[in-house]
Amino acid sequence: MASTKLHVLSLYRRSLKLALDWAVARDVWRGQAVYIRGLFDANKTVSQPRQQKELIEQTEALLEKWKHPDPYRPPTAPGGSKYQRNLPSPRRDPPPPMHV
């Protein structure tokens, strides 16, 4: 039961992130997020393991079908446009003191 709940939470988060990949603006995404929450809430009373498994499989299939070909990545995240740019220079020891 707990593993099913964690799996559904993971699907919900993945659904929201997928919607964010497709949304042009945050206000558009918010409407989609409310719709997605409604879909998940409509099925939260399902307690039969067979029905739960079927719903999870359908949701996985939908997520795969709607997967974005070029998902959004924050610029500083791995794969982002600024990832590992302008790294700090390697630390060097200071020159030895000069005795005059």
Side-chain angles (χ1 to χ4, degrees):
M1 173 91 172
S3 65
T4 303
K5 182 177 181 180
L6 292 176
H7 195 121
V8 171
L9 287 173
S10 170
L11 287 173
Y12 179 65
R13 284 187 51 130
R14 287 173 44 203
S15 300
L16 292 178
K17 288 180 181 181
L18 181 66
L20 192 57
D21 287 342
W22 286 100
V24 179
R26 195 69 159 185
D27 58 331
V28 173
W29 174 81
R30 179 68 181 136
Q32 292 172 345
V34 170
Y35 175 72
I36 291 169
R37 178 61 187 252
L39 292 174
F40 275 82
D41 281 345
N43 293 307
K44 73 179 179 182
T45 58
V46 175
S47 60
Q48 299 297 320
R50 187 171 286 160
Q51 289 176 326
Q52 289 175 344
K53 184 179 178 188
E54 187 176 322
L55 287 169
I56 288 171
E57 288 173 356
Q58 289 174 359
T59 305
E60 291 277 3
L62 279 174
L63 288 176
E64 188 60 35
K65 177 183 174 185
W66 286 99
K67 189 174 172 181
H68 198 285
D70 186 23
Y72 173 77
R73 290 185 186 12
T76 54
S81 60
K82 286 179 64 177
Y83 182 63
Q84 291 190 339
R85 262 204 238 164
N86 301 326
L87 291 174
S89 60
R91 184 185 158 121
R92 295 187 180 132
D93 293 330
M98 295 180 66
H99 298 289
V100 191

